[in-house]
Amino acid sequence: MSHEPPQPGGDHGEPGRKGPAGWPPRDPTTAKTNRKPPPTDGAQGGKGRTKRVKRPKRTGWRRAVPTWRMVLGSTLLIALLLIGGFIAGYKLVGIPAANASATAQSNVYLYKDGSVIARDGEINRENIRLDKIPRTVQHAVLAAEDRDFYSEPAIDVKAMTRAGWNTLTGKGRQGGSTITQQYVKNYYLGQEQTVVRKAKEFFISIKLGREQSKDEIFEGYLNTSYFGRNSYGIQAASHAYYGKDAEDLDTAEGAYLASLLNAPSAYDVVAHPESKAAALARWNYVLDGMVKENWLSPSDRAAMTFPVPGKAKPPTALSGQRGYLVQAVDDYLAAHRILDENTLATGGYRITTTLEKKKQDALVEAVEDNVLAKTSDDRKADRNVRVGGASIDPATGHVLAMYGGIDYTKQYVNNATRRDYQVGSTFKPFVLTAAVANGSTTQDGRGITPNTRYDGTNKRTVQSARGSTGYSPANEDDVDYGSLTVREATDKSVNAVYAQMAQDVGPDAVKDTAVSLGIPLNTPDLTASPSIALGPATASVLDMTEAYATLADHGKQREHTLVAKISKNGADIALPTRNTRQAVSREAADTTTSVLRSVVDGGTGTAAQAANRPAAGKTGTAEEDKAAWFAGYTPDLATVIAVMGQDPDTGVQKPLYGALGLARINGGGAPAQTWAAYTAAALEDDEVRQFELEAEEGPEEADPDKEGNEEGNEERDEESEEPGEDRRETGYPESDTPSGVGTETSRAPQAPRTATPADAPSRTSATRTPDGDHPGNPEDEGFIEGARGPGLPRR
């Protein structure tokens, strides 16, 4: 007798027959379609057991979705790994000894040839007990950095996660560290942004939070944090900014020092006057936070005024030009994210700059001989004289020399890098370059070339395609020029012409061209309007030098650099890649150069001829004569010199009337003379190079103010005594070409064109006229005695 269970198949499946006892007969219509596979061994045996049903396979999109078992398993695995990693990290990472930042060494700054510029001195630090720091000052720091410090754990996981997410999603680098973590980073670790350092910081912070009180940690934080001006700790910072002990700080002063923790140098309103708005906003943020946390009453908050810090007192090791150079290099490193302030402040870095000692010495000597030597203690106006200068190699973008002021320990602000003085007419070449680069036309469709005629009537209203713009700039001394060419308007710096030209080109296009040449996009008052041509923008001397270097190198733009190499402990630090790009066409740059050459050859910049080099340049004056500029270049060197007026006590910008014993200072005077003296000395051992220009003069246009086009043209030729072909080649009559001034190659004049791209500005007239920048502001870029004879009387 068989003991095997009945099988679903064979005769049992035949229709009309009954199955074993207890089994109902199968429906013959579904016998095949509903046939199930044989039960597994586990389903066999035992009366009444049910068979295990096999799950259908996952198909389609469901295959990509993990099952709950997979999710649960992965979660448990990750949790176990994190817990294990936390335990291991906590066991393995101990609290180390103080790091190098607590006893930081000096940084060494070198010229290009390896000779020492300066060492940034010993670290300025003085520890102080927490109970010596006013409670309101403590609250200001907490409001600025970590308002929940006393109630939160050593690690704020939520804040760290939020900061990491914002960084990954492109919302900017944000801090998620508690004060405990910042203290650990400052005192025990370093400033490197690495995963290993962050992991150590995490575990050390947890241990430190268990071993030290909140007051101990906060005291350590206040004594190790960097506040700028080479000051570590709040006691040193209090002396650096307000000349007093920390225990004497009031709430407003404490709030300002707390603001500095976010960006020490950037928020120093003495070193960076242009950043005062940002510093004020941060100061207000701190005070408002104190009110929100009930640490400060609204009435006391409303009564506070911004506490302007005192003048900086840098270490004597940074006296003279050394401090300006070190400051400029430090700012460059921070701006390009090579080394931030805190990292650099740990010391031990060896920084080789692009500065050349010979040229640096030549620039200092030129300023001393042509500006400082002419000042007198008996003249009150001479107290306001400031000088800024910068020089760049157009072929490399290397900054070769810089003049920041009379002495870093006496005049803390770097006049070469500050951005708060108007550039005046030195901006006008950018309008001309934009016209050529964009193929711009006048309102009546004539291509803008050096020979295009404009109406130079004083206070002529600028016209757009829709009619009057309402803007009517005055020419210098309200002179009416009538019809004149672009080259003549450039030489005479006619405001009416250049404002209209800016409108014709398009103010946005002018702004874009200036930025392409090297003017920073965020330059104050770089506004796209017809007035942009008159130079209200406050670019720095270094900014203007970079832009003029682009013109010198035929429109090739490369961002300037001050640093050639950095190393620490024998290991080099990577520098960012610098690219060269064609900012504007060569024709646009070269035709602008052609026009600017005539400014030196016979216009307002004739003093620059003393360099005995082929030169192109432009003079300029800020509103109310608060600054006088000369921006120029040879084929080898681009240099900008600015003489500025500033009250030494209040810092307010002042007109230069009466300074240097002159009724007024203009770009063709001391700035151009300084430029020439420096350029001659800097290039004395170099072979004279000629400009190699690809420029077009453009078609001659008839002068409507003269009777008959042909007669007018002949009259102009007789007055200038310059054959047109010779003028295009040299800019001089053949027998009068000055020694050392090179010729330029130029394309032959083209046939007249209509509504076609303007090819290039050309040489301006040799007639001397004032360089007008702003309505109603007298200026005489005057001839210099001994070069062109006595200055002409003002009109």
Side-chain angles (χ1 to χ4, degrees), residues 468-717:
S468 172
T469 63
Y471 177 53
S472 306
N475 294 329
E476 180 67 21
D477 295 337
D478 292 325
V479 176
D480 279 320
Y481 290 99
S483 175
L484 74 172
T485 65
V486 169
R487 73 165 63 89
E488 293 168 337
T490 304
D491 197 29
K492 298 174 182 180
S493 209
V494 181
N495 291 338
V497 170
Y498 264 89
Q500 181 62 58
M501 191 189 303
Q503 179 64 42
D504 294 345
V505 176
D508 286 317
V510 173
K511 178 179 178 180
D512 291 344
T513 298
V515 172
S516 293
L517 292 173
I519 302 301
L521 179 61
N522 61 348
T523 298
D525 296 322
L526 184 64
T527 305
S529 68
S531 65
I532 193 174
L534 278 59
T538 57
S540 72
V541 169
L542 185 58
D543 296 333
M544 294 297 290
T545 309
E546 180 176 322
Y548 272 69
T550 302
L551 294 175
D553 198 29
H554 312 292
K556 294 178 182 178
Q557 202 277 336
R558 50 184 63 80
E559 187 178 6
H560 77 266
T561 181
L562 274 159
V563 179
K565 181 180 179 182
I566 306 178
S567 63
K568 183 173 184 178
N569 298 326
D572 290 344
I573 294 175
L575 297 176
T577 301
R578 296 173 56 249
N579 299 317
T580 300
R581 60 184 180 84
Q582 192 73 38
V584 297
S585 67
R586 174 165 184 164
E587 184 179 70
D590 285 359
T591 50
T592 299
T593 297
S594 176
V595 169
L596 296 184
R597 285 204 63 190
S598 71
V599 175
V600 174
D601 295 345
T604 59
T606 54
Q609 292 182 12
N612 285 325
R613 296 271 172 169
K618 184 72 182 75
T619 56
T621 308
E623 188 175 4
E624 298 180 359
D625 283 9
K626 294 177 180 177
W629 297 69
F630 185 80
Y633 51 93
T634 70
D636 313 272
L637 200 61
T639 306
V640 176
I641 304 293
V643 178
M644 308 164 179
Q646 182 180 16
D647 188 295
D649 298 323
T650 65
V652 175
Q653 295 184 13
K654 292 288 186 179
L656 291 166
Y657 304 134
L660 307 186
L662 303 173
R664 52 203 308 275
I665 296 178
N666 49 70
Q673 293 169 341
T674 303
W675 184 95
Y678 162 71
T679 302
L683 299 177
E684 64 178 349
D685 296 330
D686 297 342
E687 181 181 353
V688 175
R689 287 183 56 203
Q690 311 298 326
F691 282 107
E692 297 179 359
L693 305 180
E694 296 179 4
E696 291 186 24
E697 291 297 307
E700 295 282 347
E701 291 190 3
D703 185 353
D705 294 338
K706 295 183 178 180
E707 295 181 2
N709 296 343
E710 183 176 349
E711 180 182 352
N713 289 335
E714 292 176 357
E715 183 177 345
R716 281 197 304 276
D717 288 341

Side-chain angles (χ1 to χ4, degrees), residues 109 272 321-336 344 351 353 355 389-390 399 401-404 408 412 414-418 542 560-563:
Y109 298 80
H272 297 282
Q321 294 303 305
R322 292 189 291 269
Y324 299 118
L325 302 181
V326 169
Q327 180 196 51
V329 171
D330 289 353
D331 289 346
Y332 177 85
L333 294 174
H336 291 78
L344 188 62
I351 303 168
T353 71
L355 298 164
V399 179
M402 179 183 293
Y403 187 91
Y408 186 68
Y412 186 52
N414 189 335
N415 296 319
T417 59
R418 66 190 302 171
L542 185 58
H560 77 266
T561 181
L562 274 159
V563 179

